[in-house]
Amino acid sequence: MPDRELYGKVLEVEKQLNGVIRGKENVMRLLLGAFFAEGHVLMEDVPGTGKTTLAKALALSISADFSRIQFTPDLLPADILGSSIYSPKEGSFFFREGPIFTNLLLADEINRASPRTQSALLEAMNERQVSIEGKEHSLSSPFLVIATQNPVEYYGTYPLPEAQLDRFAVRLSLGYPDGDAELQLLLDRRRNDPLESVRPVLDCGEIRRIQEEVRTVEVEDSLARYMMRVIRATRESGEILLGASPRALLTLSRCAQALAWLDNRMFVKPDDILLLIQPLLAHRLVMTLESKHAGIAPAAVLDDIVGKIKIPV
């Protein structure tokens, strides 16, 4: 069983997130699962659905450093990573860290920056370090990027390249709330902002302990083979030009472990994997030109793959 004290604190964090964003319990669970699996999260949705609010709520729930970058077309890589500054007093240069040197980074509207600036995050997201002027600088632990983006058909946006999309463990969408949840959202904000009541529950040391415990969650061989068959099926599909990478397989396994831990289990069940198939794989797939013209979406292909591969029992 998971550590009782840590598990209780995580439930409190989840409760606070659900109090800020109403009616999206599955999204909160997937967000925390990616966090404890040491993965990054891409929040994709139309403006005004609460993407940035959710990231702020998570940041307020942990005692850790938090940075926010508003991505714009004129943003430069140095604005994210940092640069060398000349000190007249010392007569030498010193390195001034950029906002990426933090525990939780909110990259707001990431697809409004140029591809050159977007690529500044690649090394940081994958290797937890950045190379600046020939020197490597390690990032803090834990390190999580929550990036938000508006759909690419909106004015003034740049689609994220496949190499960067593959760095995000999951792509989540809040969507519009149902009637009851939207009414409750309105009532919650009549007198104050729910973010004002969010308090720190976890610290960095506890988050690292949870991430280490997640690694010990058991994954049976039959489930490991099932995940591998799903990943390989995306590469063999005639409707997909670029299938899921080995990184996707490793991320799927780790996130399944995290979901099991969040469900108070130390073993993965098929349901953990099935819950992750769409949010973890859909954004990684590149469809053929023929499939795009036919209106076939990655989600439909994944549903077909899952329907054809026998699920272990």
Side-chain angles (χ1 to χ4, degrees), residues 29-41 125 128 142-144 167-170 207-208 210-215 247 250-262 276 280:
R29 179 59 59 97
L30 289 168
L31 172 65
L32 291 175
F35 188 18
F36 297 136
E38 302 176 64
H40 307 289
V41 177
M125 293 172 65
R128 267 64 174 183
F143 176 68
L144 169 69
R167 262 70 173 185
F168 288 102
V170 292
I207 293 170
R208 286 191 292 268
I210 293 171
Q211 291 173 338
E212 291 170 0
E213 198 166 283
V214 162
R215 289 173 174 264
R247 180 189 289 120
L250 297 174
T251 305
L252 178 59
S253 178
R254 182 60 51 78
C255 286
Q257 289 176 295
L259 289 186
W261 191 95
L262 287 168
L276 288 163
L280 194 143

Side-chain angles (χ1 to χ4, degrees), residues 148-258:
T148 72
Q149 72 168 359
N150 300 327
V152 295
E153 63 265 21
Y154 278 69
Y155 176 76
T157 61
Y158 302 84
L160 297 178
E162 289 76 13
Q164 184 148 5
L165 286 172
D166 197 41
R167 262 70 173 185
F168 288 102
V170 292
R171 181 180 62 182
L172 304 177
S173 175
L174 288 169
Y176 293 118
D178 59 32
D180 292 340
E182 194 159 16
L183 176 60
Q184 189 60 52
L185 180 150
L186 177 62
L187 297 177
D188 288 343
R189 286 161 173 77
R190 284 190 301 181
R191 293 182 177 85
N192 50 48
D193 189 337
L195 283 174
E196 297 174 358
S197 61
V198 177
R199 62 180 183 85
V201 178
L202 290 168
D203 59 33
C204 289
E206 291 170 326
I207 293 170
R208 286 191 292 268
R209 284 169 54 197
I210 293 171
Q211 291 173 338
E212 291 170 0
E213 198 166 283
V214 162
R215 289 173 174 264
T216 67
V217 173
E218 182 181 356
V219 182
E220 291 185 356
D221 289 347
S222 62
L223 293 177
R225 287 192 291 270
Y226 173 74
M227 288 187 285
M228 184 189 69
R229 286 196 292 268
V230 171
I231 295 296
R232 293 182 68 86
T234 66
R235 304 171 193 162
E236 297 164 0
S237 171
E239 296 167 321
I240 298 175
L241 179 64
L242 180 64
S245 66
R247 180 189 289 120
L249 175 60
L250 297 174
T251 305
L252 178 59
S253 178
R254 182 60 51 78
C255 286
Q257 289 176 295

Side-chain angles (χ1 to χ4, degrees), residues 39-57:
H40 307 289
V41 177
L42 178 63
M43 302 290 300
E44 182 179 271
D45 220 326
V46 295
T49 52
K51 303 183 297 295
T52 303
T53 300
L54 175 56
K56 289 181 178 179

